[in-house]
């Protein structure tokens, strides 16, 4: 994996509050190597280590994108939902930003069936077939379509399991992380001071509660994906 320069600036991370962790009583002792200080009852993350692992993650994503790999971004925390969707769309990644349905990856055949049903309903709606049905039937199908859009809208073009999964909040999306571990899918995960740094393939110590922090980390990661995709296109 070739190392590259990703313009990861410590001052920029401080301004985004990346270094703020949880209260000192709410922490995982395994995070000790990633914590640099305590301040006013909260742990402060060592941003030098954040920069190191963020850079490693960017290198991995660039190389994977250069090889035409596919990515999934998972972040179902309400405050992160818009940032996850925006970042994923910008980098042409799949995403889940509402709820991780248990077995979404480990029971992929069921997910495929749901996705096909979703695509069929979208096609029927686009063709105007649903509107020609009796009102009660049309209303039922529209509710079903709305539900599928909420939970599967970000993965509607997925045709197989992703090559790499980016997870915004380990605590919130632990089920997604565990499924990736079971299937051997490489993961990149933001970890706050209450997380376990040993679960993901690359863990990035960062504030996973502040929108500015989440957005900054995601922007760096998807920039690496975009650069990798450009390299892939040039070399085809």
């Amino acid at each position: 994996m070739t190392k590259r320069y990703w313009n990861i600036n410590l001052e920029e991370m401080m301004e985004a509050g990346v270094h703020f962790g949880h209260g000192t009583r709410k922490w995982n002792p395994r995070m000790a190597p990633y914590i640099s200080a305590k301040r006013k009852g909260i742990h402060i993350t060592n941003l030098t280590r954040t920069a190191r692992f963020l850079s490693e993650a960017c290198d991995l994503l660039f190389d994977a994108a250069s090889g035409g790999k596919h990515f999934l971004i998972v972040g179902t925390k309400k405050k992160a939902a818009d940032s996850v969707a925006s970042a994923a769309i910008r980098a042409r990644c799949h995403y889940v930003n509402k709820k991780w349905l248990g077995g979404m990856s480990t029971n992929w055949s069921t997910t495929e069936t749901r996705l096909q049903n979703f695509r069929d309903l979208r096609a029927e709606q686009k063709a105007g077939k649903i509107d020609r049905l009796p009102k009660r039937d049309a209303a039922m199908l529209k509710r079903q379509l709305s539900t599928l859009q909420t939970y599967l809208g970000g993965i509607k073009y997925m045709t197989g399991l992703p090559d790499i999964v980016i997870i915004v909040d380990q605590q919130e999306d632990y089920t997604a992380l565990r499924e990736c571990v079971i299937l051997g899918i490489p993961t990149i995960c933001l970890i706050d001071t209450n997380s376990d740094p040993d679960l993901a393939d690359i863990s990035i110590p960062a504030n996973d509660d502040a929108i500015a922090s989440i957005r900054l980390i995601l922007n760096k990661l998807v920039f690496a994906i975009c650069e990798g995709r450009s390299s892939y296109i040039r070399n085809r």
Side-chain angles (χ1 to χ4, degrees):
M1 188 165 63
T2 305
K3 287 189 174 294
R4 293 175 176 82
Y5 176 70
W6 296 109
N7 191 29
I8 297 169
N9 185 289
L10 298 186
E11 186 176 336
E12 182 183 21
M13 287 197 289
M14 287 192 73
E15 289 177 358
V18 175
H19 58 303
F20 291 123
H22 284 277
T24 54
R25 293 182 180 180
K26 187 183 178 184
W27 77 303
N28 188 326
R30 291 185 179 180
M31 286 297 296
Y34 307 94
I35 295 171
S36 61
K38 298 177 184 178
R39 187 184 304 165
K40 295 182 179 178
I42 67 167
H43 280 124
I44 303 299
T45 299
N46 185 332
L47 290 182
T48 301
R49 303 210 73 180
T50 300
R52 172 192 159 189
F53 290 111
L54 178 55
S55 180
E56 284 185 13
C58 288
D59 287 337
L60 174 65
L61 292 172
F62 177 90
D63 289 344
S66 297
K69 302 297 185 182
H70 301 284
F71 308 92
L72 172 66
I73 302 177
V74 181
T76 61
K77 181 183 291 185
K78 190 172 183 180
K79 64 172 69 174
D82 290 342
S83 296
V84 167
S86 176
I89 291 167
R90 190 162 72 251
R92 288 178 289 124
C93 299
H94 308 295
Y95 67 92
V96 175
N97 70 337
K98 294 298 181 184
K99 180 182 180 182
W100 181 269
L101 303 175
M104 191 174 274
S105 57
T106 49
N107 195 1
W108 176 247
S109 61
T110 298
T111 302
E112 276 188 311
T113 301
R114 288 172 175 164
L115 285 171
Q116 189 56 56
N117 183 35
F118 181 30
R119 295 184 193 113
D120 291 344
L121 283 174
R122 289 179 76 238
E124 288 179 13
Q125 184 185 48
K126 193 172 183 180
K129 292 182 179 179
I130 292 179
D131 290 328
R132 292 197 291 271
L133 293 172
K135 285 186 178 180
R136 186 174 179 179
D137 294 339
M140 181 184 70
L141 288 178
K142 285 179 180 179
R143 282 196 301 271
Q144 186 179 346
L145 186 57
S146 176
T147 299
L148 289 169
Q149 174 62 40
T150 298
Y151 297 118
L152 303 180
I155 62 168
K156 58 180 175 283
Y157 299 119
M158 270 182 72
T159 56
L161 292 171
D163 297 296
I164 295 177
V165 176
I166 298 168
I167 297 174
V168 169
D169 185 325
Q170 185 190 97
Q171 300 288 317
E172 191 80 14
D173 294 303
Y174 181 78
T175 302
L177 177 57
R178 290 303 303 169
E179 289 188 22
C180 290
V181 171
I182 290 168
L183 294 171
I185 299 172
T187 51
I188 295 168
C189 190
L190 274 69
I191 52 166
D192 214 322
T193 55
N194 63 336
S195 302
D196 184 343
D198 300 324
L199 296 180
D201 292 275
I202 297 181
S203 294
I204 304 170
N207 183 344
D208 62 14
D209 292 311
I211 294 297
S213 173
I214 293 169
R215 190 177 294 130
L216 187 150
I217 300 295
L218 281 178
N219 283 344
K220 299 295 182 186
L221 296 176
V222 299
F223 176 76
I225 293 173
C226 291
E227 290 293 294
R229 290 201 194 283
S230 297
S231 174
Y232 175 69
I233 292 169
R234 287 194 303 269
N235 295 325
R236 287 179 71 178

